[in-house]
């Protein structure tokens, strides 16, 4: 199979959507570039090169636009082999293209230089008033030359209407009409605005990447009784790591020795630590609180839960929402229209209304600055990126802005039962003594089930472990197909059978039969323990609803969103769970039946979100308007669904919809701020109240405002089910 090589770069200095457009337009014109994709949210650019791509040409093009760039990683898709491309490597390296703290960046230094030059020139002008306006030209050139150079490169590489071009025209125009002092002030304010935009964008970009800091950099690996500290990114599958009390766990894994409370708050937001023991799964970044654990590594550093969350969110942020696509398309017409309006404002009043050329050219130049689309273009992706990041921090993963935007339209949620509304693993709900004590029944049943991996057996063994009852050895144990298990415990013959199997062995009192019917009506599976030939007791087992299932469904109801359970389970069991939770039930369904019901509801006008495990429910998930996988850890079926609830909380379905509403509200706030500021400054400029330097605030100021407003979404926590 022919190899498909993708080259990934990290790009520094991007602070708004127009930066993305400039880079994409410039790079896609280069010979040998087949595809290019630039991500503002992650600060990366991915290239699919052709056979004639020249090494270094991409870096030179991006640097000419005023951005920093470094190779991040090269990924080869297909059969590993013999690519001769000079850029292809087998290694992956992560390169930081920033220059350290924001005050040490090139933008900050340039801004400081222009500010200092402006201050010194202004003082000199005050001391020597007779000095002409041209004294400001050197200060102007310090800032305008690099801005003008970027404008020229952008214009020759496919972006003629960049903010740098509008800025250059305005500054040069102001210089020629005798407003040199204002021209310097405008350039300085523009650079300050760019710097603030970069700081805000950098903080937003770092919000999700900050998750990576939750994973410790080193781990204690135990080999043949010897412990060695190694970098966490060098851990291999199957290795055993030692986790001391207070340590963060360095990798996803399975506990092989020890029992401890695990604080999962950094990853899941859960405030109460979970008690975990041998066989339980733990996530990288969580904290071991009580005792020493030995953990077998089940995912390497690049594929642990946190790494996958970061990767999925970055990919999702690059997927444009419908509102963003509309704004992007609108801006391609908007900027040229602004140029036309500015030209008309500068020319028509002097030509036809007797106005002053200097006054109206000045106003036309101000309108150029007011009309820059940066704040409008960034209004949507900034909010989408913040919304996706906020959701990811709560374990809500969405495949792009389209999913996040469309969730608010959901009017009906169709939920699977097993593993979605319920825990997905049966639990012992009732132990009913007849001839023996509660503890004896549980002890004997656990003895018979020891070594079995059947879900009902696991439920009994788990209950015995929880209650700390002794589990004596059972001899001559055997499974009786379709009936149960039997064995000898302490010399006494015992059997754990279904009620139907017991009736074939010995009569059952009517009172017990009535009790069995009552338990079955509650959706519980009943097993009867026989000691000798007499009934010793009964054990009822059911896959219980999740702790927050009832309150989570109530949250949907409060949001006026309907809910229905679609399950392949039998009607009796499904109705028992449905009655407990207060949800309509459709039971005994095959996968195609679930899909048919989803389409039925859609034809009735509902916008349907289907929540399931992402595998058995694949047809219904695909048919739904939004498919949501209810998953945990590495078992999430994101391939099938549009979104996933990482930590299995039913309440998070309502929270995901609430996040969609919050994000769209933020987007419309941003658009309103951007357009309102432009409208206000446009009017005040035309009537002569404001001039060039306040005009720049209409865009750079608005860009900073909308970015900061979008970042408020990072504080979103969702509601906790009561």
């Amino acid at each position: 199979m022919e190899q498909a090589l993708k080259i990934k770069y990290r790009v520094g200095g991007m602070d708004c959507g127009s930066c993305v457009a400039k880079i994409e337009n410039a790079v896609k014109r280069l010979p040998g570039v087949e595809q290019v994709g630039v991500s503002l949210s992650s600060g990366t650019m991915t290239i699919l090169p052709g056979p004639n791509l020249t090494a270094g040409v991409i870096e030179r093009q991006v640097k000419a636009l005023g951005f920093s760039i470094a190779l991040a990683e090269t990924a080869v898709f297909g059969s590993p082999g013999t690519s001769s491309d000079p850029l292809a490597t087998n290694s992956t390296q992560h390169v930081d293209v920033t220059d350290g703290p924001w005050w040490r960046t090139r933008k900050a230094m340039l801004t400081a230089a222009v500010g200092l030059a402006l201050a010194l020139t202004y003082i000199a002008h005050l001391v020597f008033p007779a000095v002409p306006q041209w004294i400001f030209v050197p200060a102007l050139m310090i800032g305008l030359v690099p801005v003008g150079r970027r404008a020229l490169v952008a214009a020759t590489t496919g972006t003629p209407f960049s903010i740098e071009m509008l800025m250059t025209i305005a500054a040069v125009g102001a210089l020629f009409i005798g407003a040199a002092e204002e021209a310097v002030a405008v350039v300085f304010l523009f650079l300050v605005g760019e710097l603030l935009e970069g700081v805000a964008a950098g903080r937003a970009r770092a919000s999700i990447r900050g998750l990576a800091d939750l994973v410790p950099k080193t781990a204690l690996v135990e080999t043949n009784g010897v412990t060695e500290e190694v970098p966490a990114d060098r851990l291999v599958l199957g290795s055993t790591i030692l986790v001391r009390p207070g340590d963060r766990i360095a990798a996803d894994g399975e506990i092989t020795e020890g029992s401890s409370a695990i604080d999962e708050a950094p990853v899941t937001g859960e405030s109460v630590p979970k008690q975990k023991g041998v066989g339980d799964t733990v996530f990288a970044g969580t904290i071991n609180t009580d005792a020493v654990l030995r953990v077998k590594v089940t995912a390497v550093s690049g594929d642990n839960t946190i790494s996958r969350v970061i990767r999925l969110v970055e990919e999702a942020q690059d997927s444009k929402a419908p509102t963003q696509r509309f704004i992007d398309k609108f801006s391609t017409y908007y900027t040229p229209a602004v140029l036309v309006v500015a030209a008309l404002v500068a020319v028509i009043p002097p030509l036809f209304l007797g106005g002053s050329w200097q006054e109206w050219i000045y106003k036309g130049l101000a309108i150029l600055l007011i009309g820059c689309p940066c704040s409008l273009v960034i209004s949507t992706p900034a909010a989408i990126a913040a919304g996706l990041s906020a959701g990811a921090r709560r374990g809500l993963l969405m495949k792009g802005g389209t999913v996040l935007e469309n969730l608010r339209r959901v009017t009906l949620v169709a939920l699977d039962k097993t593993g979605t509304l319920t825990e997905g693993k049966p639990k012992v709900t009732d132990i009913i003594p007849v001839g023996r004590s509660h503890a004896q029944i549980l002890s004997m049943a656990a003895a018979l089930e020891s070594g079995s991996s059947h879900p009902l057996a696991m439920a009994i063994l788990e209950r015995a472990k929880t209650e700390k009852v002794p589990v004596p050895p059972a001899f001559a144990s055997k499974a009786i197909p379709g009936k149960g298990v039997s064995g000898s415990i302490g010399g006494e013959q015992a059997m754990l059978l279904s009620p139907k199997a017991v009736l074939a062995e010995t009569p059952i009192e009517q009172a017990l039969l009535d009790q069995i019917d009552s338990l079955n009506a509650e959706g519980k599976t009943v097993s009867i323990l026989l000691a000798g030939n007499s009934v010793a007791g009964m054990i009822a087992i059911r896959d219980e609803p999740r702790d927050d299932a009832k309150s989570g469904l109530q949250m949907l109801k409060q949001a006026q969103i309907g809910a229905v359970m679609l399950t392949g389970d039998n009607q009796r069991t499904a109705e028992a769970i449905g009655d407990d939770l207060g949800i309509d039930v459709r039971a005994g369904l095959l996968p195609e039946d679930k899909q048919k019901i989803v389409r039925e509801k859609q034809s009735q006008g509902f916008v349907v979100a289907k929540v399931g495990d992402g595998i058995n429910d694949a047809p219904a998930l695909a048919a739904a308007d939004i498919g949501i996988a209810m998953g945990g850890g590495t078992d999430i079926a994101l391939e099938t669904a549009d979104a996933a609830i990482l930590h299995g909380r039913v309440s998070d379905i309502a929270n995901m919809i609430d996040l969609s509403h919050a994000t769209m509200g933020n987007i419309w706030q941003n658009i309103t701020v951007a357009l309102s500021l432009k409208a206000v400054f446009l009017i005040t400029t035309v009537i002569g109240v404001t001039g060039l330097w306040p005009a720049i605030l209409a865009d750079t100021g608005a860009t900073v405002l909308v970015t900061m407003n979008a970042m408020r979404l990072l504080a979103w926590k969702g509601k906790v089910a009561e």
Side-chain angles (χ1 to χ4, degrees):
M1 183 172 72
E2 191 174 332
Q3 292 193 23
L5 175 71
K6 285 189 177 180
I7 308 168
K8 192 172 185 179
Y9 295 91
R10 297 204 174 274
V11 181
M14 294 191 296
D15 47 46
C16 74
S18 63
C19 298
V20 171
K22 277 184 286 192
I23 295 172
E24 285 184 343
N25 288 340
V27 174
K28 72 184 179 183
R29 291 167 170 251
L30 293 173
V33 174
E34 305 258 338
Q35 291 178 9
V36 57
V38 179
S39 168
L40 174 65
S41 57
S42 59
T44 59
M45 175 176 65
T46 305
I47 301 293
L48 180 62
N52 58 336
L53 178 64
T54 305
V57 68
I58 291 172
E59 289 91 333
R60 287 194 293 273
Q61 187 81 307
V62 173
K63 288 177 180 177
L65 290 166
F67 303 98
S68 54
I69 180 171
L71 186 66
E73 61 189 65
T74 302
V76 180
F77 301 94
S79 303
T82 59
S83 173
S84 60
D85 191 292
L87 295 175
T89 68
N90 292 322
S91 64
T92 297
Q93 61 178 138
H94 296 281
V95 181
D96 187 0
V97 294
T98 62
D99 300 318
W102 66 266
W103 59 86
R104 290 173 54 190
T105 62
R106 286 181 294 172
K107 280 187 178 180
M109 292 177 184
L110 178 60
T111 304
V114 175
L116 180 61
L118 174 60
L120 291 175
T121 307
Y122 187 72
I123 292 170
H125 188 62
L126 289 177
V127 175
F128 306 104
V131 173
Q133 284 278 317
W134 295 103
I135 192 177
F136 288 97
V137 171
L140 175 63
M141 290 300 106
I142 292 174
L144 189 58
V145 168
V147 171
R149 185 170 61 245
R150 282 156 50 192
L152 184 61
V153 173
T156 57
T157 54
T159 312
F161 302 117
S162 63
I163 175 59
E164 288 85 0
M165 181 61 74
L166 300 182
M167 186 71 233
T168 302
I169 294 171
V172 171
L175 186 64
F176 278 99
I177 62 171
E181 183 178 351
E182 282 196 77
V184 184
V186 164
V187 171
F188 174 65
L189 288 172
F190 168 73
L191 293 172
V192 169
E194 266 202 332
L195 182 62
L196 292 175
E197 289 169 16
V199 172
R203 287 184 59 191
R205 190 177 295 127
S207 64
I208 189 64
R209 298 297 306 177
L211 283 173
D213 295 334
L214 295 175
V215 182
K217 304 302 181 189
T218 60
L220 295 174
V221 176
E222 191 173 68
T223 308
N224 298 325
V226 178
T227 302
E228 178 188 8
E229 187 172 32
V230 302
D233 58 7
R234 283 174 47 195
L235 291 174
V236 296
L237 292 177
S239 59
T240 298
I241 58 174
L242 190 71
V243 187
R244 301 165 300 190
D247 284 354
R248 286 187 185 270
I249 299 172
D252 286 3
E254 180 181 304
I255 297 174
T256 58
E257 185 181 321
S259 176
S260 179
I262 305 298
D263 180 4
E264 296 186 338
V267 178
T268 68
E270 295 286 355
S271 57
V272 180
K274 288 185 178 179
Q275 190 67 33
K276 296 196 175 187
V278 175
D280 288 332
T281 298
V282 292
F283 302 131
T286 56
I287 302 168
N288 176 27
T289 63
D290 291 343
V292 173
L293 296 176
R294 284 175 173 80
V295 176
K296 182 176 74 174
V297 176
T298 58
V300 295
S301 64
D303 200 37
N304 63 40
T305 301
I306 287 179
S307 295
R308 292 172 68 247
V309 167
I310 293 170
R311 186 164 60 250
L312 288 165
V313 172
E314 287 184 346
E315 289 171 359
Q317 288 173 346
D318 296 341
S319 173
K320 293 185 178 181
T323 303
Q324 183 180 347
R325 288 196 295 268
F326 170 76
I327 293 294
D328 287 348
K329 188 173 182 180
F330 172 75
S331 67
T332 61
Y333 298 101
Y334 169 83
T335 308
V338 166
L339 277 169
V340 173
V341 170
L344 292 175
V345 167
V347 171
I348 289 178
L351 279 180
F352 302 104
L353 302 175
S356 164
W357 280 100
Q358 181 167 337
E359 176 189 351
W360 286 100
I361 289 175
Y362 179 89
K363 290 178 179 180
L365 295 173
I367 288 172
L368 279 182
L369 300 178
I370 294 166
C372 176
C374 279
S375 58
L376 193 59
V377 170
I378 198 66
S379 60
T380 301
I384 292 290
L388 291 169
S389 298
R393 285 177 173 271
R394 260 195 71 87
L396 311 179
L397 303 185
M398 288 152 279
K399 279 186 175 179
T402 300
V403 176
L404 179 57
E405 184 170 325
N406 288 337
L407 272 162
R408 78 190 197 282
R409 300 191 176 98
V410 169
T411 56
L412 178 70
V413 178
L415 303 102
D416 187 29
K417 179 181 78 71
T418 306
T420 298
L421 286 170
T422 66
E423 292 285 356
K425 51 184 181 180
K427 291 183 179 179
V428 173
T429 58
D430 304 88
I431 298 175
I432 301 162
V434 177
R436 305 289 174 98
S437 69
H438 174 105
Q440 285 177 315
I441 294 166
L442 184 56
S443 178
M444 293 176 72
L448 291 171
E449 295 287 17
S450 289
S452 173
S453 59
H454 190 280
L456 299 184
M458 298 297 290
I460 292 170
L461 292 168
E462 181 64 29
R463 181 66 174 264
K465 180 181 176 182
T466 301
E467 294 194 11
K468 298 180 179 178
V469 299
V471 181
F475 299 95
S477 297
K478 65 177 181 179
I480 307 172
K483 296 182 179 181
V485 293
S486 68
S488 176
I489 303 172
E492 183 178 28
Q493 189 66 25
M495 291 187 287
L496 189 65
L497 305 173
S498 68
K500 184 178 179 180
V502 171
L503 281 171
E505 298 283 338
T506 185
I508 301 177
E509 294 180 8
Q510 188 59 45
L512 288 181
L513 290 174
D514 292 342
Q515 201 165 7
I516 290 168
D517 283 342
S518 177
L519 292 169
N520 285 338
E522 295 173 10
K524 298 174 181 177
T525 300
V526 179
S527 296
I528 298 176
L529 179 69
L530 294 180
N533 288 320
S534 61
V535 175
M538 299 191 298
I539 294 178
I541 296 173
R542 186 172 77 170
D543 181 12
E544 289 289 87
R546 293 181 183 271
D547 293 339
D548 74 333
K550 195 166 189 175
S551 54
L553 292 172
Q554 186 61 31
M555 288 169 66
L556 288 173
K557 187 176 180 181
Q558 289 171 353
Q560 298 184 325
I561 297 170
V564 61
M565 180 199 296
L566 305 182
T567 178
D569 213 339
N570 66 77
Q571 189 74 30
R572 195 174 191 180
T573 300
E575 284 185 350
I577 296 290
D579 289 344
D580 280 356
L581 298 179
I583 184 174
D584 292 336
V585 172
R586 302 283 290 274
L589 303 174
L590 296 172
E592 54 266 34
D593 297 326
K594 296 180 182 181
Q595 183 188 49
K596 183 179 178 182
I597 292 171
V598 167
R599 294 202 185 282
E600 243 174 50
K601 295 296 184 182
Q602 289 171 324
S603 68
Q604 294 168 8
F606 290 99
V607 177
V608 182
K610 175 68 178 75
V611 188
D613 62 13
I615 300 171
N616 297 329
D617 288 339
L621 284 166
D625 297 282
I626 301 285
I628 302 173
M630 180 74 79
T634 57
D635 296 325
I636 303 172
L638 274 175
E639 294 81 6
T640 330
D642 301 302
I645 294 172
L646 183 64
H647 306 302
R649 293 181 284 244
V650 177
S651 57
D652 276 344
I653 302 168
N655 278 327
M656 193 177 273
I657 294 170
D658 178 71
L659 177 58
S660 174
H661 282 286
T663 303
M664 289 308 299
N666 191 283
I667 286 171
W668 288 113
Q669 290 169 9
N670 286 347
I671 292 172
T672 301
V673 167
L675 292 179
S676 296
L677 274 174
K678 290 181 185 300
V680 168
F681 277 94
L682 178 64
I683 293 168
T684 56
T685 297
V686 171
I687 65 176
V689 175
T690 55
L692 280 175
W693 70 266
I696 196 66
L697 298 177
D699 187 70
T700 54
T703 302
V704 173
L705 283 176
V706 299
T707 305
M708 297 303 291
N709 185 52
M711 287 177 64
R712 291 191 306 111
L713 285 169
L714 296 174
W716 180 89
K717 300 293 183 186
K719 298 175 183 176
V720 178
E722 297 177 0

